[in-house]
Amino acid sequence: SATRAGGGWGGAPPPPAAAHTPTSAQRCTPVKPTADFYAAGRIASTPIGARCTTISVSGIRDAARPSDRCQTFLVALLSADGRDPTYTEPVRACSPTEHRRTVLATGVPSGTQFRVLYEVDYIDPAPQHVRYTVWR
């Protein structure tokens, strides 16, 4: 079964150093997802197909406040038979540089459909829009 870096779905968060992976360490391909919906203080991406066993994010930036380069993310693994998704624990991710990746989940079976969700910091005058790249 898939796990979050450093532990299982409900486990304790990994040490900060374990959550970050250098760009050259993986051969996952990038995608810039589009927002699909807002619910319960989070914005979810459109479904994405996993191409490697690790899901990471990089290039995080608030569109309205470009100096804000941190956000809290989690992954919703979608069930092929329509059951409720399985969610990872939230991970605080920052991109001090464009290429810095933060691992959100590991052990993801290739071909798994998932959504990346981020917690919004504000909704007025419009919900926060965060730009980021998903490595999958």
Side-chain angles (χ1 to χ4, degrees), residues 119-132:
E119 295 179 10
V120 296
D121 296 331
Y122 56 87
I123 58 170
D124 190 28
Q128 180 182 25
H129 175 71
V130 175
R131 293 184 177 128
Y132 58 97

Side-chain angles (χ1 to χ4, degrees), residues 23-85:
T23 301
S24 62
Q26 295 186 22
R27 301 207 190 285
C28 301
T29 58
V31 65
K32 292 191 182 269
T34 56
D36 193 16
F37 63 88
Y38 170 86
R42 294 183 172 127
I43 293 186
S45 72
T46 55
I48 302 167
R51 294 189 177 177
C52 64
T53 61
T54 300
I55 299 170
S56 306
V57 290
S58 69
I60 303 158
R61 185 171 54 95
D62 183 326
R65 299 176 183 151
S67 63
D68 181 356
R69 300 188 64 83
C70 294
Q71 205 63 35
T72 300
F73 292 89
L74 65 150
V75 175
L77 298 167
L78 306 177
S79 170
D81 61 8
R83 289 179 294 169
D84 288 342

